[in-house]
Amino acid sequence: MLPRCKKRQSEITTWIFPGTFPGKYVNPLEQEIVDNQEKEDYNISMAIEGSKQQVLEFLRRHRGEYISGEDLSRDLAISRTAVWKHIQSLRQEGYRIDAQTRRGYCLLATPDCFYPEEVTAGLETAWLGRTLYYYDEVGSTNQVAKELADDGAPEGTVIVAECQTGGRGRRGRSWISPARKGIWFSVILRPRVAPVQAPQLTLLAAVAVVAAVRERTGLPLGIKWPNDLLAGGRKVCGILTEIKAEIDAVEYIVLGIGLNANLEAGDFSPEVSPQATSLYLELGRPVERLPLFQRILSCLEKWYERWQDEGFAPVREAWKEASITLGQEVRVNSWREVFQGVALDIDDEGSLLVRDAGGRIRRFNSGEVSLRPV
């Protein structure tokens, strides 16, 4: 059984100074006193959190070994009481730490959560995910990402949540995102491409997730154009790409990915259940979300850099290898019309080429595809 991920007291890892209510008058002198107190409380909180992370890192470096409270106190320059309090706090967050008289503390297991210190501890990326916002619960990671991007957040910023209450798919559809059962995250990217090339990122992300899932679990996923990943013919992952751009330049792209990791059959609504699945349901066993998330970020960074350096051609070939769309009879709903035919290929921009029964070939750069195997 995987170590249980428990809810943290703070909703987000970054600290935010409380503000005053809109329209409320506050005496400047009183506000200065309040501000000073808040800053003092903030500094104290950060110092406590920092020393707790020191205890965790010390135990992590000596994983499997027992470290005495005296050694922790001496080496980290904190009191024995502080060590004990930090151990209790870490246990409440899901860390399995054994304590034995005259032997000390031993880190046995870490929780399968997306705590920033856990994500970065095993992250192999150079820049993607190095700025990380963690939420226990959020409305939508894409919405938070867009707000951060508007405020100038750097490329590679990642927003990850244990649960989304307002997760969204394409066309505004809701996305079921139960707590601690999936991988729900968004990435802020600022690519050096024309806006017309932005949709290629959806296909790139699909290639990265397919590679990561296969590496970590052995499960082969198929890509249904443009943004769905399927396992056993049912949807296991969705990708939502949102862009802010001028006529000839991209300001930023928010790439949202929702992967059903450990959802059970009962987690899906009756309307969704026939079309949806999870890695757990396909494999018959739970998957460790944290290492899979780290691997997705690594694959995403690798493919993104290659796309920036070499263009779409390598992505296109990898996408075609994993495609379950090409060669199939499909029905394409472009919201202006419904077109039926055989999916032939994707072109150099990532658009889908479909040939109807009369031999006419249509090009679609957006739309919803239903598969009808030949």
Side-chain angles (χ1 to χ4, degrees):
M1 179 178 293
L2 300 177
R4 184 181 177 187
C5 176
K6 299 182 180 180
K7 183 175 181 179
R8 279 189 166 175
Q9 293 300 312
S10 55
E11 178 189 358
I12 183 173
T13 55
T14 55
W15 293 84
I16 303 173
F17 289 121
T20 57
F21 294 101
K24 179 181 178 181
Y25 172 75
V26 180
N27 182 289
L29 181 58
E30 293 178 353
Q31 184 62 52
E32 182 179 355
I33 294 173
V34 170
D35 288 344
N36 289 337
Q37 183 61 51
E38 288 174 349
K39 290 177 182 178
E40 183 178 346
D41 292 344
Y42 168 80
N43 290 333
I44 293 173
S45 298
M46 290 299 288
I48 293 173
E49 185 67 21
S51 60
K52 184 176 76 173
Q53 294 310 314
Q54 287 182 311
V55 170
L56 176 59
E57 288 305 313
F58 199 100
L59 292 175
R60 196 197 304 278
R61 289 196 302 271
H62 298 85
R63 189 163 181 165
E65 304 175 23
Y66 282 86
I67 308 297
S68 71
E70 182 179 354
D71 288 343
L72 284 166
S73 174
R74 182 187 64 250
D75 292 351
L76 300 180
I78 58 177
S79 68
R80 293 281 298 274
T81 300
V83 170
W84 182 84
K85 288 181 177 179
H86 292 328
I87 294 294
Q88 301 312 307
S89 178
L90 290 168
R91 283 172 168 168
Q92 290 174 2
E93 292 178 1
Y95 291 90
R96 286 175 52 196
I97 301 174
D98 187 38
Q100 295 190 13
T101 305
R102 290 189 293 275
R103 295 190 69 188
Y105 303 103
C106 178
L107 178 63
L108 301 178
T110 57
D112 188 36
C113 297
F114 302 127
Y115 298 154
E117 59 269 26
E118 292 303 320
V119 174
T120 56
L123 193 59
E124 297 176 348
T125 63
W127 53 272
L128 185 61
R130 294 299 171 177
T131 300
L132 183 74
Y133 289 79
Y134 166 85
Y135 288 84
D136 190 78
E137 181 179 292
V138 72
S140 163
T141 59
N142 259 35
Q143 183 59 41
V144 174
K146 288 189 289 185
E147 293 170 1
L148 290 170
D150 285 331
D151 289 338
E155 181 170 56
T157 296
V158 170
I159 300 87
V160 62
E162 301 290 355
C163 171
Q164 291 185 115
T165 58
R168 295 180 295 113
R170 297 179 71 231
R171 307 293 293 177
R173 296 188 182 95
S174 62
W175 183 270
I176 298 171
S177 313
R180 297 164 182 80
K181 290 192 173 184
I183 302 176
W184 329 118
F185 72 102
S186 299
V187 180
I188 298 172
L189 297 170
R190 301 182 184 275
R192 307 179 305 276
V193 298
V196 69
Q197 297 172 276
Q200 296 173 4
L201 261 176
T202 301
L203 282 65
L204 181 156
V207 167
V209 174
V210 166
V213 169
R214 184 185 286 272
E215 289 176 24
R216 289 297 310 178
T217 72
L219 183 66
L221 302 182
I223 307 174
K224 181 169 76 74
W225 187 92
N227 69 329
D228 292 343
L229 302 186
L230 276 61
R234 296 189 293 174
K235 186 170 180 177
V236 72
C237 179
I239 300 167
L240 178 63
T241 304
E242 300 185 85
I243 179 174
K244 183 175 182 180
E246 302 294 337
I247 295 176
D248 59 350
V250 171
E251 181 176 338
Y252 65 76
I253 292 174
V254 168
L255 187 64
I257 297 176
L259 176 61
N260 298 336
N262 292 322
L263 278 75
E264 301 173 69
D267 291 317
F268 298 107
S269 67
E271 297 78 17
V272 171
S273 184
Q275 293 83 37
T277 188
S278 69
L279 300 180
Y280 167 77
L281 292 174
E282 296 301 315
L283 294 167
R285 58 177 172 81
V287 299
E288 292 185 82
R289 298 179 307 143
L290 176 60
L292 177 53
F293 177 51
Q294 292 168 325
R295 192 60 198 151
I296 291 173
L297 294 181
S298 295
C299 290
L300 188 58
E301 180 183 87
K302 181 191 76 172
W303 277 106
Y304 180 78
E305 291 180 344
R306 191 172 181 186
W307 176 59
Q308 292 277 269
D309 294 339
E310 302 178 35
F312 184 59
V315 176
R316 179 171 179 258
E317 290 307 309
W319 187 94
K320 290 172 66 174
E321 288 180 10
S323 172
I324 57 172
T325 305
L326 302 184
Q328 302 295 318
E329 186 172 335
V330 299
R331 185 187 300 271
V332 184
N333 184 347
S334 67
W335 298 283
R336 291 190 302 271
E337 63 173 327
V338 176
F339 188 85
Q340 188 168 316
V342 175
L344 300 177
D345 203 348
I346 56 172
D347 65 15
D348 292 339
E349 293 183 1
S351 299
L352 183 66
L353 305 179
V354 181
R355 182 182 62 207
D356 68 10
R360 183 175 53 146
I361 297 177
R362 290 286 305 275
R363 176 180 180 271
F364 295 92
N365 54 28
S366 65
E368 187 160 305
V369 169
S370 300
L371 299 180
R372 302 168 58 88
V374 176

